[in-house]
Amino acid sequence: MECFVLTSLTRDRYIYFDDCRRISVTTDVNQAEFFFDITKAYNFLGNQMPKKKRDEWIVVTAEVNPPKDSKQRFRTDLDFSESDAEFHWDNYINNIMGSYRGIRDYREYLQKELAKVEAELCDIEHAIEFFNYNASDGYKMYKMLHDCRVRRRGIKDDLRKANAVLSMR
């Protein structure tokens, strides 16, 4: 049976999915993810691989036969046709809890950054209020104010996303 694997340009590393269904790298071709359709292999390479990494990988015909129990798997597809014993709840719960903690910590960081940016905005506005500037310096103050507001908008957008995820029940 002809099958395909994703390998590095030097053909010493292969793509496989770890227990948490994340893309991982191995040096063992027998552990690699086997694709039984070349179109699906190229679709995976073009759609699932990070853009920065795509040029480092190619699709090749597998030189060994895949183990009889291997099945084509995709990171986004879970095969529930097998027994529930193969679905590892602990792995998924740990990943979700780790992601939750990471987003919560990131939200705290964003809140501190937002406070710093708002203090900077206040300082710029006070400088504009209390001092007279010529045209050149006035433009520089405008540019500082503009850049600070753009940074604040980016922080507030990320903060809104973090709050939306953390408020899910």
Side-chain angles (χ1 to χ4, degrees):
M1 170 180 267
E2 186 176 46
C3 57
F4 307 92
V5 294
L6 280 110
T7 183
S8 63
L9 294 174
T10 56
R11 296 185 185 216
D12 61 344
R13 296 176 295 145
Y14 303 93
I15 295 294
Y16 80 102
F17 298 116
D18 63 11
D19 292 337
C20 297
R21 312 288 279 168
R22 292 180 297 222
I23 299 172
S24 298
V25 177
T26 183
T27 56
D28 182 11
V29 69
N30 293 318
Q31 190 180 6
E33 189 68 28
F34 292 92
F35 294 90
F36 300 104
D37 181 4
I38 194 167
T39 306
K40 290 187 179 183
Y42 278 110
N43 283 342
F44 177 84
L45 181 62
N47 298 321
Q48 298 291 326
M49 288 290 287
K51 289 182 181 180
K52 294 179 181 178
K53 304 277 185 183
R54 286 181 192 160
D55 294 337
E56 301 171 19
W57 297 93
I58 57 174
V59 176
V60 296
T61 303
E63 297 169 1
V64 297
N65 290 329
K68 292 181 181 180
D69 62 342
S70 74
K71 290 187 175 185
Q72 183 177 7
R73 294 186 181 137
F74 294 96
R75 186 170 54 133
T76 56
D77 296 336
L78 294 175
D79 184 10
F80 294 109
S81 61
E82 298 174 8
S83 69
D84 289 339
E86 290 193 26
F87 188 83
H88 303 286
W89 282 104
D90 293 336
N91 293 338
Y92 288 96
I93 291 170
N94 290 337
N95 285 339
I96 291 169
M97 292 303 295
S99 297
Y100 180 84
R101 283 190 292 272
I103 294 171
R104 187 185 61 211
D105 293 343
Y106 183 56
R107 180 180 65 178
E108 290 174 12
Y109 166 78
L110 288 173
Q111 289 170 337
K112 290 176 185 174
E113 289 298 308
L114 183 62
K116 289 179 189 176
V117 170
E118 287 180 346
E120 187 179 341
L121 272 173
C122 187
D123 291 343
I124 293 169
E125 289 169 348
H126 281 126
I128 291 170
E129 181 181 356
F130 295 118
F131 298 104
N132 291 326
Y133 295 102
N134 60 25
S136 174
D137 290 335
Y139 178 77
K140 289 177 186 174
M141 293 302 290
Y142 153 76
K143 186 66 175 151
M144 285 174 50
L145 185 66
H146 174 77
D147 292 343
C148 193
R149 286 184 180 261
V150 168
R151 274 197 332 267
R152 184 177 73 165
R153 171 55 36 217
I155 291 170
K156 287 176 82 174
D157 287 346
D158 280 354
L159 196 55
R160 182 184 51 80
K161 291 174 190 173
N163 286 332
V165 170
L166 294 175
S167 67
M168 290 182 186
R169 299 223 181 237

